[in-house]
Amino acid sequence: MGKIVVYCQPGAKQTQCVGLHDGKPKIQLKAPPVDGAANKALIGFLSDVFGVPKSAISIELGASGRTKRVEVAGINDAELSRRLLAPA
């Protein structure tokens, strides 16, 4: 089970990883930060990037903030960073 800390920017034009922010992957989310919509969008985006079901991803810390620690079952920390920051 791997963990990664990400920085999220809700309310963007599209959902994508745009590089680093203070050393953390920066993910722009199209969803607004209302009623957990941005967190659901983050889980859906990471599910697609990592090729795992949404149920394998959980937001461990930071559910109400922009900096979040995410846990992904079945993938180690190094692989999480590599896949998330790989060019599309």
Side-chain angles (χ1 to χ4, degrees), residues 60-79:
E60 198 173 67
L61 284 175
S64 62
R66 288 184 176 230
T67 301
K68 302 174 186 300
R69 185 167 65 200
V70 179
E71 186 173 78
V72 182
I75 302 177
N76 66 38
D77 295 357
E79 185 68 10

mmCIF file with all atom_site columns, all heavy atoms in Angstrom, residues 60-79:
data_model
loop_
_atom_site.group_PDB
_atom_site.id
_atom_site.type_symbol
_atom_site.label_atom_id
_atom_site.label_alt_id
_atom_site.label_comp_id
_atom_site.label_asym_id
_atom_site.label_entity_id
_atom_site.label_seq_id
_atom_site.pdbx_PDB_ins_code
_atom_site.Cartn_x
_atom_site.Cartn_y
_atom_site.Cartn_z
_atom_site.occupancy
_atom_site.B_iso_or_equiv
_atom_site.pdbx_formal_charge
_atom_site.auth_seq_id
_atom_site.auth_comp_id
_atom_site.auth_asym_id
_atom_site.auth_atom_id
_atom_site.pdbx_PDB_model_num
ATOM 1   N N   . GLU A 1 60 ? -6.391  9.969  3.200   1.00 0.00 ? 60 GLU A N   1
ATOM 2   C CA  . GLU A 1 60 ? -6.039  9.680  4.582   1.00 0.00 ? 60 GLU A CA  1
ATOM 3   C C   . GLU A 1 60 ? -6.040  10.942 5.440   1.00 0.00 ? 60 GLU A C   1
ATOM 4   O O   . GLU A 1 60 ? -6.494  10.932 6.564   1.00 0.00 ? 60 GLU A O   1
ATOM 5   C CB  . GLU A 1 60 ? -4.650  9.026  4.583   1.00 0.00 ? 60 GLU A CB  1
ATOM 6   C CG  . GLU A 1 60 ? -4.314  8.300  5.833   1.00 0.00 ? 60 GLU A CG  1
ATOM 7   C CD  . GLU A 1 60 ? -3.004  7.566  5.661   1.00 0.00 ? 60 GLU A CD  1
ATOM 8   O OE1 . GLU A 1 60 ? -1.957  8.222  5.529   1.00 0.00 ? 60 GLU A OE1 1
ATOM 9   O OE2 . GLU A 1 60 ? -3.024  6.327  5.666   1.00 0.00 ? 60 GLU A OE2 1
ATOM 10  N N   . LEU A 1 61 ? -5.493  12.027 4.895   1.00 0.00 ? 61 LEU A N   1
ATOM 11  C CA  . LEU A 1 61 ? -5.435  13.312 5.606   1.00 0.00 ? 61 LEU A CA  1
ATOM 12  C C   . LEU A 1 61 ? -5.713  14.442 4.635   1.00 0.00 ? 61 LEU A C   1
ATOM 13  O O   . LEU A 1 61 ? -5.354  14.361 3.467   1.00 0.00 ? 61 LEU A O   1
ATOM 14  C CB  . LEU A 1 61 ? -4.036  13.542 6.201   1.00 0.00 ? 61 LEU A CB  1
ATOM 15  C CG  . LEU A 1 61 ? -3.655  12.769 7.444   1.00 0.00 ? 61 LEU A CG  1
ATOM 16  C CD1 . LEU A 1 61 ? -2.202  13.041 7.795   1.00 0.00 ? 61 LEU A CD1 1
ATOM 17  C CD2 . LEU A 1 61 ? -4.535  13.134 8.606   1.00 0.00 ? 61 LEU A CD2 1
ATOM 18  N N   . GLY A 1 62 ? -6.352  15.503 5.112   1.00 0.00 ? 62 GLY A N   1
ATOM 19  C CA  . GLY A 1 62 ? -6.535  16.703 4.315   1.00 0.00 ? 62 GLY A CA  1
ATOM 20  C C   . GLY A 1 62 ? -7.795  16.738 3.478   1.00 0.00 ? 62 GLY A C   1
ATOM 21  O O   . GLY A 1 62 ? -7.840  17.453 2.485   1.00 0.00 ? 62 GLY A O   1
ATOM 22  N N   . ALA A 1 63 ? -8.818  16.002 3.855   1.00 0.00 ? 63 ALA A N   1
ATOM 23  C CA  . ALA A 1 63 ? -10.047 15.948 3.056   1.00 0.00 ? 63 ALA A CA  1
ATOM 24  C C   . ALA A 1 63 ? -10.659 17.327 2.836   1.00 0.00 ? 63 ALA A C   1
ATOM 25  O O   . ALA A 1 63 ? -11.295 17.566 1.817   1.00 0.00 ? 63 ALA A O   1
ATOM 26  C CB  . ALA A 1 63 ? -11.062 15.016 3.703   1.00 0.00 ? 63 ALA A CB  1
ATOM 27  N N   . SER A 1 64 ? -10.449 18.253 3.764   1.00 0.00 ? 64 SER A N   1
ATOM 28  C CA  . SER A 1 64 ? -11.047 19.583 3.603   1.00 0.00 ? 64 SER A CA  1
ATOM 29  C C   . SER A 1 64 ? -10.016 20.649 3.205   1.00 0.00 ? 64 SER A C   1
ATOM 30  O O   . SER A 1 64 ? -10.343 21.824 3.119   1.00 0.00 ? 64 SER A O   1
ATOM 31  C CB  . SER A 1 64 ? -11.755 20.004 4.892   1.00 0.00 ? 64 SER A CB  1
ATOM 32  O OG  . SER A 1 64 ? -10.821 20.095 5.944   1.00 0.00 ? 64 SER A OG  1
ATOM 33  N N   . GLY A 1 65 ? -8.788  20.241 2.936   1.00 0.00 ? 65 GLY A N   1
ATOM 34  C CA  . GLY A 1 65 ? -7.754  21.198 2.545   1.00 0.00 ? 65 GLY A CA  1
ATOM 35  C C   . GLY A 1 65 ? -7.238  20.918 1.145   1.00 0.00 ? 65 GLY A C   1
ATOM 36  O O   . GLY A 1 65 ? -7.674  19.978 0.489   1.00 0.00 ? 65 GLY A O   1
ATOM 37  N N   . ARG A 1 66 ? -6.314  21.731 0.704   1.00 0.00 ? 66 ARG A N   1
ATOM 38  C CA  . ARG A 1 66 ? -5.745  21.540 -0.632  1.00 0.00 ? 66 ARG A CA  1
ATOM 39  C C   . ARG A 1 66 ? -4.632  20.498 -0.644  1.00 0.00 ? 66 ARG A C   1
ATOM 40  O O   . ARG A 1 66 ? -4.406  19.853 -1.656  1.00 0.00 ? 66 ARG A O   1
ATOM 41  C CB  . ARG A 1 66 ? -5.225  22.867 -1.177  1.00 0.00 ? 66 ARG A CB  1
ATOM 42  C CG  . ARG A 1 66 ? -6.358  23.794 -1.553  1.00 0.00 ? 66 ARG A CG  1
ATOM 43  C CD  . ARG A 1 66 ? -5.830  25.071 -2.182  1.00 0.00 ? 66 ARG A CD  1
ATOM 44  N NE  . ARG A 1 66 ? -6.950  25.894 -2.603  1.00 0.00 ? 66 ARG A NE  1
ATOM 45  C CZ  . ARG A 1 66 ? -7.056  26.428 -3.802  1.00 0.00 ? 66 ARG A CZ  1
ATOM 46  N NH1 . ARG A 1 66 ? -6.103  26.255 -4.687  1.00 0.00 ? 66 ARG A NH1 1
ATOM 47  N NH2 . ARG A 1 66 ? -8.099  27.148 -4.115  1.00 0.00 ? 66 ARG A NH2 1
ATOM 48  N N   . THR A 1 67 ? -3.909  20.364 0.456   1.00 0.00 ? 67 THR A N   1
ATOM 49  C CA  . THR A 1 67 ? -2.857  19.360 0.546   1.00 0.00 ? 67 THR A CA  1
ATOM 50  C C   . THR A 1 67 ? -3.455  18.100 1.163   1.00 0.00 ? 67 THR A C   1
ATOM 51  O O   . THR A 1 67 ? -4.039  18.155 2.238   1.00 0.00 ? 67 THR A O   1
ATOM 52  C CB  . THR A 1 67 ? -1.678  19.883 1.386   1.00 0.00 ? 67 THR A CB  1
ATOM 53  O OG1 . THR A 1 67 ? -1.162  21.069 0.783   1.00 0.00 ? 67 THR A OG1 1
ATOM 54  C CG2 . THR A 1 67 ? -0.567  18.846 1.473   1.00 0.00 ? 67 THR A CG2 1
ATOM 55  N N   . LYS A 1 68 ? -3.313  16.984 0.455   1.00 0.00 ? 68 LYS A N   1
ATOM 56  C CA  . LYS A 1 68 ? -3.950  15.736 0.880   1.00 0.00 ? 68 LYS A CA  1
ATOM 57  C C   . LYS A 1 68 ? -2.942  14.594 0.845   1.00 0.00 ? 68 LYS A C   1
ATOM 58  O O   . LYS A 1 68 ? -2.098  14.538 -0.047  1.00 0.00 ? 68 LYS A O   1
ATOM 59  C CB  . LYS A 1 68 ? -5.105  15.382 -0.068  1.00 0.00 ? 68 LYS A CB  1
ATOM 60  C CG  . LYS A 1 68 ? -6.159  16.472 -0.141  1.00 0.00 ? 68 LYS A CG  1
ATOM 61  C CD  . LYS A 1 68 ? -7.202  16.176 -1.186  1.00 0.00 ? 68 LYS A CD  1
ATOM 62  C CE  . LYS A 1 68 ? -8.164  17.318 -1.376  1.00 0.00 ? 68 LYS A CE  1
ATOM 63  N NZ  . LYS A 1 68 ? -8.923  17.692 -0.223  1.00 0.00 ? 68 LYS A NZ  1
ATOM 64  N N   . ARG A 1 69 ? -3.062  13.696 1.816   1.00 0.00 ? 69 ARG A N   1
ATOM 65  C CA  . ARG A 1 69 ? -2.285  12.459 1.777   1.00 0.00 ? 69 ARG A CA  1
ATOM 66  C C   . ARG A 1 69 ? -3.231  11.360 1.335   1.00 0.00 ? 69 ARG A C   1
ATOM 67  O O   . ARG A 1 69 ? -4.258  11.119 1.956   1.00 0.00 ? 69 ARG A O   1
ATOM 68  C CB  . ARG A 1 69 ? -1.656  12.136 3.133   1.00 0.00 ? 69 ARG A CB  1
ATOM 69  C CG  . ARG A 1 69 ? -0.742  10.910 3.024   1.00 0.00 ? 69 ARG A CG  1
ATOM 70  C CD  . ARG A 1 69 ? 0.134   10.718 4.234   1.00 0.00 ? 69 ARG A CD  1
ATOM 71  N NE  . ARG A 1 69 ? -0.684  10.423 5.399   1.00 0.00 ? 69 ARG A NE  1
ATOM 72  C CZ  . ARG A 1 69 ? -0.274  10.585 6.649   1.00 0.00 ? 69 ARG A CZ  1
ATOM 73  N NH1 . ARG A 1 69 ? 0.913   11.064 6.907   1.00 0.00 ? 69 ARG A NH1 1
ATOM 74  N NH2 . ARG A 1 69 ? -1.062  10.274 7.647   1.00 0.00 ? 69 ARG A NH2 1
ATOM 75  N N   . VAL A 1 70 ? -2.871  10.719 0.236   1.00 0.00 ? 70 VAL A N   1
ATOM 76  C CA  . VAL A 1 70 ? -3.723  9.711  -0.382  1.00 0.00 ? 70 VAL A CA  1
ATOM 77  C C   . VAL A 1 70 ? -3.042  8.356  -0.265  1.00 0.00 ? 70 VAL A C   1
ATOM 78  O O   . VAL A 1 70 ? -1.830  8.231  -0.454  1.00 0.00 ? 70 VAL A O   1
ATOM 79  C CB  . VAL A 1 70 ? -3.952  10.063 -1.871  1.00 0.00 ? 70 VAL A CB  1
ATOM 80  C CG1 . VAL A 1 70 ? -4.817  9.020  -2.547  1.00 0.00 ? 70 VAL A CG1 1
ATOM 81  C CG2 . VAL A 1 70 ? -4.572  11.445 -2.003  1.00 0.00 ? 70 VAL A CG2 1
ATOM 82  N N   . GLU A 1 71 ? -3.839  7.354  0.041   1.00 0.00 ? 71 GLU A N   1
ATOM 83  C CA  . GLU A 1 71 ? -3.340  5.985  0.146   1.00 0.00 ? 71 GLU A CA  1
ATOM 84  C C   . GLU A 1 71 ? -3.931  5.171  -1.002  1.00 0.00 ? 71 GLU A C   1
ATOM 85  O O   . GLU A 1 71 ? -5.128  5.265  -1.284  1.00 0.00 ? 71 GLU A O   1
ATOM 86  C CB  . GLU A 1 71 ? -3.772  5.401  1.494   1.00 0.00 ? 71 GLU A CB  1
ATOM 87  C CG  . GLU A 1 71 ? -3.204  4.037  1.781   1.00 0.00 ? 71 GLU A CG  1
ATOM 88  C CD  . GLU A 1 71 ? -3.550  3.618  3.195   1.00 0.00 ? 71 GLU A CD  1
ATOM 89  O OE1 . GLU A 1 71 ? -4.698  3.199  3.410   1.00 0.00 ? 71 GLU A OE1 1
ATOM 90  O OE2 . GLU A 1 71 ? -2.668  3.722  4.060   1.00 0.00 ? 71 GLU A OE2 1
ATOM 91  N N   . VAL A 1 72 ? -3.053  4.402  -1.673  1.00 0.00 ? 72 VAL A N   1
ATOM 92  C CA  . VAL A 1 72 ? -3.481  3.591  -2.802  1.00 0.00 ? 72 VAL A CA  1
ATOM 93  C C   . VAL A 1 72 ? -3.046  2.149  -2.560  1.00 0.00 ? 72 VAL A C   1
ATOM 94  O O   . VAL A 1 72 ? -1.854  1.876  -2.393  1.00 0.00 ? 72 VAL A O   1
ATOM 95  C CB  . VAL A 1 72 ? -2.873  4.103  -4.132  1.00 0.00 ? 72 VAL A CB  1
ATOM 96  C CG1 . VAL A 1 72 ? -3.370  3.272  -5.300  1.00 0.00 ? 72 VAL A CG1 1
ATOM 97  C CG2 . VAL A 1 72 ? -3.201  5.575  -4.339  1.00 0.00 ? 72 VAL A CG2 1
ATOM 98  N N   . ALA A 1 73 ? -4.014  1.250  -2.537  1.00 0.00 ? 73 ALA A N   1
ATOM 99  C CA  . ALA A 1 73 ? -3.723  -0.170 -2.302  1.00 0.00 ? 73 ALA A CA  1
ATOM 100 C C   . ALA A 1 73 ? -3.083  -0.780 -3.554  1.00 0.00 ? 73 ALA A C   1
ATOM 101 O O   . ALA A 1 73 ? -3.497  -0.499 -4.673  1.00 0.00 ? 73 ALA A O   1
ATOM 102 C CB  . ALA A 1 73 ? -5.002  -0.907 -1.950  1.00 0.00 ? 73 ALA A CB  1
ATOM 103 N N   . GLY A 1 74 ? -2.054  -1.593 -3.337  1.00 0.00 ? 74 GLY A N   1
ATOM 104 C CA  . GLY A 1 74 ? -1.463  -2.360 -4.420  1.00 0.00 ? 74 GLY A CA  1
ATOM 105 C C   . GLY A 1 74 ? -0.347  -1.686 -5.197  1.00 0.00 ? 74 GLY A C   1
ATOM 106 O O   . GLY A 1 74 ? 0.177   -2.272 -6.138  1.00 0.00 ? 74 GLY A O   1
ATOM 107 N N   . ILE A 1 75 ? 0.025   -0.461 -4.838  1.00 0.00 ? 75 ILE A N   1
ATOM 108 C CA  . ILE A 1 75 ? 1.095   0.243  -5.554  1.00 0.00 ? 75 ILE A CA  1
ATOM 109 C C   . ILE A 1 75 ? 2.016   0.897  -4.515  1.00 0.00 ? 75 ILE A C   1
ATOM 110 O O   . ILE A 1 75 ? 1.538   1.507  -3.575  1.00 0.00 ? 75 ILE A O   1
ATOM 111 C CB  . ILE A 1 75 ? 0.520   1.328  -6.491  1.00 0.00 ? 75 ILE A CB  1
ATOM 112 C CG1 . ILE A 1 75 ? -0.460  0.707  -7.496  1.00 0.00 ? 75 ILE A CG1 1
ATOM 113 C CG2 . ILE A 1 75 ? 1.644   2.043  -7.237  1.00 0.00 ? 75 ILE A CG2 1
ATOM 114 C CD1 . ILE A 1 75 ? -1.134  1.704  -8.398  1.00 0.00 ? 75 ILE A CD1 1
ATOM 115 N N   . ASN A 1 76 ? 3.338   0.759  -4.720  1.00 0.00 ? 76 ASN A N   1
ATOM 116 C CA  . ASN A 1 76 ? 4.270   1.346  -3.743  1.00 0.00 ? 76 ASN A CA  1
ATOM 117 C C   . ASN A 1 76 ? 4.473   2.843  -3.990  1.00 0.00 ? 76 ASN A C   1
ATOM 118 O O   . ASN A 1 76 ? 4.093   3.377  -5.028  1.00 0.00 ? 76 ASN A O   1
ATOM 119 C CB  . ASN A 1 76 ? 5.605   0.583  -3.730  1.00 0.00 ? 76 ASN A CB  1
ATOM 120 C CG  . ASN A 1 76 ? 6.377   0.720  -5.020  1.00 0.00 ? 76 ASN A CG  1
ATOM 121 O OD1 . ASN A 1 76 ? 6.402   1.772  -5.645  1.00 0.00 ? 76 ASN A OD1 1
ATOM 122 N ND2 . ASN A 1 76 ? 7.031   -0.358 -5.433  1.00 0.00 ? 76 ASN A ND2 1
ATOM 123 N N   . ASP A 1 77 ? 5.072   3.511  -3.030  1.00 0.00 ? 77 ASP A N   1
ATOM 124 C CA  . ASP A 1 77 ? 5.243   4.972  -3.063  1.00 0.00 ? 77 ASP A CA  1
ATOM 125 C C   . ASP A 1 77 ? 5.977   5.451  -4.321  1.00 0.00 ? 77 ASP A C   1
ATOM 126 O O   . ASP A 1 77 ? 5.557   6.412  -4.958  1.00 0.00 ? 77 ASP A O   1
ATOM 127 C CB  . ASP A 1 77 ? 6.009   5.451  -1.826  1.00 0.00 ? 77 ASP A CB  1
ATOM 128 C CG  . ASP A 1 77 ? 5.259   5.229  -0.525  1.00 0.00 ? 77 ASP A CG  1
ATOM 129 O OD1 . ASP A 1 77 ? 4.114   4.754  -0.572  1.00 0.00 ? 77 ASP A OD1 1
ATOM 130 O OD2 . ASP A 1 77 ? 5.821   5.540  0.538   1.00 0.00 ? 77 ASP A OD2 1
ATOM 131 N N   . ALA A 1 78 ? 7.085   4.788  -4.668  1.00 0.00 ? 78 ALA A N   1
ATOM 132 C CA  . ALA A 1 78 ? 7.880   5.220  -5.819  1.00 0.00 ? 78 ALA A CA  1
ATOM 133 C C   . ALA A 1 78 ? 7.078   5.100  -7.109  1.00 0.00 ? 78 ALA A C   1
ATOM 134 O O   . ALA A 1 78 ? 7.136   5.981  -7.975  1.00 0.00 ? 78 ALA A O   1
ATOM 135 C CB  . ALA A 1 78 ? 9.164   4.405  -5.902  1.00 0.00 ? 78 ALA A CB  1
ATOM 136 N N   . GLU A 1 79 ? 6.327   4.032  -7.242  1.00 0.00 ? 79 GLU A N   1
ATOM 137 C CA  . GLU A 1 79 ? 5.519   3.818  -8.443  1.00 0.00 ? 79 GLU A CA  1
ATOM 138 C C   . GLU A 1 79 ? 4.393   4.851  -8.531  1.00 0.00 ? 79 GLU A C   1
ATOM 139 O O   . GLU A 1 79 ? 4.056   5.314  -9.623  1.00 0.00 ? 79 GLU A O   1
ATOM 140 C CB  . GLU A 1 79 ? 4.953   2.394  -8.446  1.00 0.00 ? 79 GLU A CB  1
ATOM 141 C CG  . GLU A 1 79 ? 4.204   2.028  -9.696  1.00 0.00 ? 79 GLU A CG  1
ATOM 142 C CD  . GLU A 1 79 ? 5.079   1.924  -10.948 1.00 0.00 ? 79 GLU A CD  1
ATOM 143 O OE1 . GLU A 1 79 ? 6.317   1.950  -10.854 1.00 0.00 ? 79 GLU A OE1 1
ATOM 144 O OE2 . GLU A 1 79 ? 4.496   1.839  -12.044 1.00 0.00 ? 79 GLU A OE2 1
#
